[in-house]
């Protein structure tokens, strides 16, 4: 009977957690702790479909499909949530729908796919099935131009944000690619990855500063968190950031061989840190994607080009 009641309690908490904001939900977790567990893997190095050569980003759509940048092979590959190949998007080139160094991905609220390329220094938009829609951008240092753009995000109003890394700025565009404004940094920050939350705040991962800068939609920095180190909530080389539908933040650390979860206000929650080469271990995690419900975390390893799937669960216990 006690076991039955415990199962009912866990189920109720998981249902409630999907219906309320994080700040409301956190007090419910008094007797539960968050744990990540390894589930499975797919991929590996190569040029065949389903294989990769230098994975740089991962995005997950509302149906749980997983999109992965295959940087050297100049393509995006789309998989089911369990890793079954669905479609290959793009071929090498400079034409519409072609790719040269696809590095950053974002899935908008309509499940459209946005891709930023290093080689072509531009942004392209596709449908979820891979049909080309539009493009904008070129190499340079002026408004609407890019120098090593690394990531892209789109907010609920359709505004587009591009991490223009070697120009040390975030550029903001309308939904049709018209330039609006730039958020320019001093040069000591390296904006390498972007995420957007349910309030349209933009999370900018500063790789060199080992921190996250949180901007409101007007570009004002309203929060920052993270520091250099190997402790909880610290980073050695934070390389990619992602959010789930509730606004929780996930960051993978390339050199500390871990990924971490934070509340929307930057409070550390939990990490998975298990360095090594076994299936359930991490070696140079280079990209991270999260299912909208937060139940599945996808991690790409730099050295193996494998995608490892992790689950997160609430289990009885205290910190």
């Amino acid at each position: 009977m006690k076991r039955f009641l415990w199962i009912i309690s866990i189920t109720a908490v998981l249902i409630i957690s999907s219906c309320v904001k994080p700040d409301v939900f956190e007090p419910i977790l008094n007797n539960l702790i968050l744990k990540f567990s390894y589930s499975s893997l797919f991929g590996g190095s190569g040029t065949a479909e389903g294989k990769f050569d230098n994975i740089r980003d991962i995005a997950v759509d509302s149906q749980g499909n997983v999109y992965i940048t295959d940087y050297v092979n100049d393509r995006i590959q789309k998989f089911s949530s369990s890793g079954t190949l669905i479609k290959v998007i793009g071929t090498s080139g400079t034409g519409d729908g072609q790719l040269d160094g696809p590095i950053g991905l974002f899935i908008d609220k309509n499940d459209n796919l946005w891709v930023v390329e290093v080689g072509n220094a531009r942004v392209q938009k596709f449908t979820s099935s891979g049909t080309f829609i539009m493009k904008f951008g070129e190499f340079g240092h002026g408004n609407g131009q890019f120098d090593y753009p690394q990531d892209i995000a789109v907010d609920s109003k359709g505004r587009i944000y591009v991490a223009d890394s070697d120009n040390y700025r975030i550029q903001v565009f309308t939904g049709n690619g018209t330039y609006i404004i730039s958020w320019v940094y001093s040069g000591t920050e390296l904006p390498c990855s972007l995420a957007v939350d349910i309030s349209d705040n933009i999370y900018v991962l500063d790789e060199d500063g080992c921190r996250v800068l949180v901007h409101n939609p007007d570009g004002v920095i309203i929060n920052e968190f993270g520091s250099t180190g190997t402790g909880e909530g610290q980073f050695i080389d934070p390389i990619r950031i992602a959010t789930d539908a509730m606004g929780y933040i996930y960051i993978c650390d390339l050199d500390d061989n871990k990924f971490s979860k934070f509340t929307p206000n930057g409070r550390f929650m939990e990490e998975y840190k298990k360095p090594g080469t076994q299936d359930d271990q991490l070696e140079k995690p280079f990209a991270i994607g999260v299912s909208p419900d937060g139940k599945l975390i996808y991690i790409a390893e730099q050295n193996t080009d494998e995608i490892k799937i992790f689950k997160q669960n609430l289990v009885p216990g205290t910190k």
Side-chain angles (χ1 to χ4, degrees):
M1 183 65 179
K2 288 182 178 180
R3 178 177 174 79
F4 174 76
L5 292 174
W6 176 81
I7 293 172
I8 293 296
S9 298
I10 295 293
T11 303
V13 168
L14 291 174
I15 292 172
I16 293 170
S17 71
S18 66
C19 302
V20 298
K21 294 181 178 181
D23 291 342
V24 177
F25 173 55
E26 285 175 37
I28 301 173
L29 302 180
N30 288 336
N31 298 314
L32 298 172
I33 56 175
L34 175 68
K35 286 294 180 184
F36 298 110
S37 61
Y38 168 79
S39 176
S40 60
L41 63 81
F42 64 95
S45 298
T47 58
E49 292 186 356
K51 301 295 184 180
F52 306 96
D53 190 347
N54 198 344
I55 298 168
R56 303 300 293 271
D57 204 5
I58 304 170
V60 186
D61 69 18
S62 65
Q63 304 303 307
N65 298 309
V66 183
Y67 301 75
I68 302 169
T69 57
D70 193 359
Y71 182 79
V72 176
N73 289 326
D74 293 327
R75 61 192 182 186
I76 308 299
Q77 299 198 62
K78 178 180 178 180
F79 297 83
S80 70
S81 60
S82 60
T84 300
L85 181 67
I86 297 174
K87 189 174 184 63
V88 175
I89 300 170
T91 58
S92 297
T94 60
D96 293 352
Q98 293 185 311
L99 300 168
D100 185 358
I103 191 170
L105 291 177
F106 191 85
I107 304 295
D108 67 22
K109 64 181 181 180
N110 297 314
D111 278 346
N112 293 309
L113 171 66
W114 296 82
V115 183
V116 62
E117 306 167 69
V118 170
N120 288 325
R122 67 182 179 184
V123 171
Q124 294 198 74
K125 180 182 180 181
F126 300 84
T127 65
S128 60
S129 61
T131 301
F132 170 80
I133 298 175
M134 61 168 281
K135 66 181 179 182
F136 65 91
E138 61 183 4
F139 176 80
H141 310 289
N143 296 338
Q145 297 179 320
F146 305 113
D147 187 357
Y148 202 75
Q150 287 201 68
D151 206 5
I152 185 169
V154 182
D155 69 17
S156 65
K157 296 179 176 61
R159 289 177 300 230
I160 304 163
Y161 305 82
V162 178
D164 189 11
S165 295
D166 282 3
N167 283 323
Y168 299 99
R169 64 187 179 183
I170 306 300
Q171 293 199 64
V172 187
F173 301 85
T174 66
N176 63 9
T178 301
Y179 173 83
I180 299 175
I181 196 171
S182 293
W183 305 340
V184 181
Y185 299 111
S186 66
T188 59
E189 303 91 351
L190 183 63
C192 68
S193 187
L194 302 175
V196 59
D197 70 11
I198 54 180
S199 300
D200 283 342
N201 295 311
I202 304 299
Y203 293 74
V204 179
L205 189 58
D206 173 15
E207 183 178 1
D208 285 354
C210 290
R211 62 179 178 168
V212 177
L213 301 173
V214 186
H215 296 257
N216 68 16
D218 296 322
V220 178
I221 296 176
I222 56 174
N223 190 22
E224 67 174 74
F225 59 92
S227 61
T228 302
T230 59
E232 294 182 343
Q234 294 185 309
F235 311 106
I236 299 298
D237 189 4
I239 197 72
R240 283 296 178 189
I241 188 170
T243 56
D244 62 23
M246 289 295 295
Y248 288 107
I249 311 300
Y250 304 78
I251 298 171
C252 64
D253 190 329
L254 178 67
D255 287 343
D256 205 17
N257 297 302
K258 69 180 181 182
F259 65 88
S260 305
K261 180 179 180 178
F262 299 83
T263 65
N265 64 9
R267 184 176 65 78
F268 172 82
M269 295 185 70
E270 186 56 273
E271 68 181 15
Y272 189 95
K273 186 175 182 179
K274 200 172 182 180
T277 58
Q278 300 301 311
D279 287 354
D280 65 341
Q281 296 177 319
L282 292 174
E283 182 184 24
K284 298 291 183 181
F286 202 89
I288 186 168
V290 184
S291 62
D293 60 12
K295 293 180 179 179
L296 298 177
I297 298 99
Y298 298 86
I299 301 291
E301 290 187 324
Q302 184 182 57
N303 294 346
T304 64
D305 281 315
E306 291 176 337
I307 303 293
K308 295 187 174 181
I309 306 174
F310 295 83
K311 296 180 178 180
Q312 58 174 317
N313 299 288
L314 297 172
V315 300
T318 57
K319 277 285 191 179

